[in-house]
Amino acid sequence: MPVMSLRRWINRLSGGRLLPPRPVVAVLRLEGLIASRGGMGRRNLSLPALADQIERAFELPGLAAVALAINSPAVRRRNRR
């Protein structure tokens, strides 16, 4: 017999009326250089490159938040004299 969580059991008995649904949080995992435009590399992060993914995240039913997990390497600029 499968084990049912207390939350699921209460929801089943009450028809879902006693406990509010858990909040939905979309997580966008982003990797690459942050750029204002697409740039030369395929792994650059820019609005045009990510627009569809961002739109889909905000369309989730019951959405409470969107979290961004960003892994972007630091780029050193050369001192220009």
Side-chain angles (χ1 to χ4, degrees), residues 8 12-13 18-19 22 30 34 37-38 51-56 58 61 64 66-67 76-78:
R8 182 183 252 169
R12 184 175 281 181
L13 287 178
L18 291 179
L19 295 175
R22 290 186 177 173
L30 309 173
I34 297 172
R37 293 186 211 108
D52 290 339
Q53 188 177 1
I54 294 169
E55 290 288 332
R56 282 194 314 267
F58 279 93
V66 175
R76 289 187 181 176
R77 292 186 177 203
R78 295 180 185 165

Side-chain angles (χ1 to χ4, degrees), residues 28-55 68 70-72:
L28 295 175
R29 298 180 192 283
L30 309 173
E31 285 191 39
L33 292 173
I34 297 172
S36 60
R37 293 186 211 108
M40 297 296 285
R42 291 185 316 155
R43 297 188 55 148
N44 284 351
L45 302 175
S46 65
L47 182 57
L50 300 170
D52 290 339
Q53 188 177 1
I54 294 169
E55 290 288 332
L68 302 177
I70 302 173
N71 181 8
S72 182

Side-chain angles (χ1 to χ4, degrees), residues 2-12 19 22:
V3 177
M4 188 181 300
S5 73
L6 180 60
R7 182 176 199 57
R8 182 183 252 169
W9 184 75
I10 291 171
N11 264 345
R12 184 175 281 181
L19 295 175
R22 290 186 177 173

